[in-house]
Amino acid sequence: TQLLEQSPQFLSIQEGENLTVYCNSSSVFSSLQWYRQEPGEGPVLLVTVVTGGEVKKLKRLTFQFGDARKDSSLHITAAQTGDTGLYLCAGVKNYGQNFVFGPGTRLSVLP
Amino acid sequence: DAMVIQNPRYQVTQFGKPVTLSCSQTLNHNVMYWYQQKSSQAPKLLFHYYDKDFNNEADTPDNFQSRRPNTSFCFLDIRSPGLGDAAMYLCATSRGRSAGRNEQFFGPGTRLTVL
């Protein structure tokens, strides 16, 4: 059983469209992070969310942490081909030490 | 620039022939991690070091070992690689393990091929 679930698993959209991907758990997390990974490279940290209800913006990307700290979303406005990649959420369960990754959402933005 | 470096980027070995992958960091982080990532899957944690304290994941095969001789370097040893061990191996570091300190910084990975 995955501690972190991500949806959708795959997403293919046209350039300029908006999209939202989700990261969900039945457990409370002390923090969640989002990473983007391009083919043949290591994941790159995009953002960390810590406080329930927190919203962070990174240019066209908006990240939200659920009030109960069990879920998070990533919204991309006006997607560009450079947004293509594997989006991974990850974090540490409350009072835990083990860092876990979700299975990822593979995003393709077509020109 | 402070960073995580992995060498080599590509490694080819033969079935059963021991191989060592290396990772170094200039971030002076306390924690170093090794992940295995197979095609179209999320990274899977193999083990991590908190300073010199080694933490093995329960399902990491005995075939995988690690060494951390100092803060900057960490090695992944695969004693007898099988075909199923072909994967991307990612090294990462973090300042600590608690919230606010556990953001991980990844190296570019080493892609291992087993013939």
Side-chain angles (χ1 to χ4, degrees):
Chain A
T1 303
Q2 286 274 2
L3 198 57
L4 282 170
E5 302 283 349
Q6 288 189 247
S7 60
Q9 188 177 359
F10 299 97
L11 184 58
S12 182
I13 61 170
Q14 294 294 132
E15 199 168 26
E17 291 183 3
N18 301 333
L19 67 114
T20 303
V21 298
Y22 301 92
C23 174
N24 297 290
S25 177
S26 57
S27 300
V28 176
F29 277 75
S30 55
S31 66
L32 275 180
Q33 294 154 24
W34 285 92
Y35 294 81
R36 179 171 66 219
Q37 185 178 22
E38 298 186 18
E41 299 294 331
V44 174
L45 179 67
L46 297 174
V47 79
T48 298
V49 286
V50 178
T51 307
E54 182 177 7
V55 176
K56 283 192 174 179
K57 288 183 184 285
L58 185 67
K59 296 183 182 177
R60 293 175 295 101
L61 278 58
T62 302
F63 304 85
Q64 185 160 7
F65 202 13
D67 290 342
R69 291 187 290 134
K70 292 183 178 182
D71 54 85
S72 181
S73 64
L74 158 59
H75 181 80
I76 302 179
T77 303
Q80 300 175 357
T81 55
D83 296 328
T84 293
L86 179 66
Y87 287 82
L88 296 158
C89 69
V92 177
K93 256 178 62 175
N94 231 15
Y95 309 116
Q97 287 186 339
N98 294 329
F99 196 82
V100 294
F101 274 91
T105 292
R106 191 164 294 280
L107 173 65
S108 294
V109 181
L110 306 174
Chain B
D1 287 342
M3 55 199 307
V4 181
I5 302 160
Q6 289 189 245
N7 286 305
R9 291 293 309 274
Y10 301 91
Q11 176 74 57
V12 180
T13 191
Q14 290 180 323
F15 184 93
K17 186 174 180 182
V19 67
T20 295
L21 310 182
S22 73
C23 177
S24 64
Q25 54 132 339
T26 61
L27 297 159
N28 203 33
H29 282 174
N30 293 317
V31 192
M32 293 187 78
Y33 308 80
W34 278 105
Y35 289 87
Q36 179 193 66
Q37 186 177 29
K38 296 192 175 180
S39 184
S40 301
Q41 295 182 20
K44 178 180 180 300
L45 183 63
L46 296 173
F47 25 59
H48 74 275
Y49 273 95
Y50 187 92
D51 288 332
K52 295 181 180 179
D53 182 29
F54 178 69
N55 298 269
N56 199 29
E57 293 300 297
D59 57 354
T60 298
D62 292 340
N63 197 25
F64 292 87
Q65 305 282 320
S66 186
R67 296 170 283 135
R68 189 179 185 185
N70 54 53
T71 301
S72 301
F73 285 86
C74 196
F75 299 97
L76 170 61
D77 300 307
I78 308 177
R79 292 193 296 187
S80 182
L83 298 179
D85 297 328
M88 174 77 91
Y89 289 88
L90 295 162
C91 173
T93 73
S94 67
R95 286 181 295 150
R97 292 181 298 198
S98 56
R101 293 177 60 82
N102 61 7
E103 295 172 337
Q104 295 194 16
F105 296 85
F106 283 82
T110 294
R111 180 163 296 284
L112 178 68
T113 299
V114 182
L115 301 177

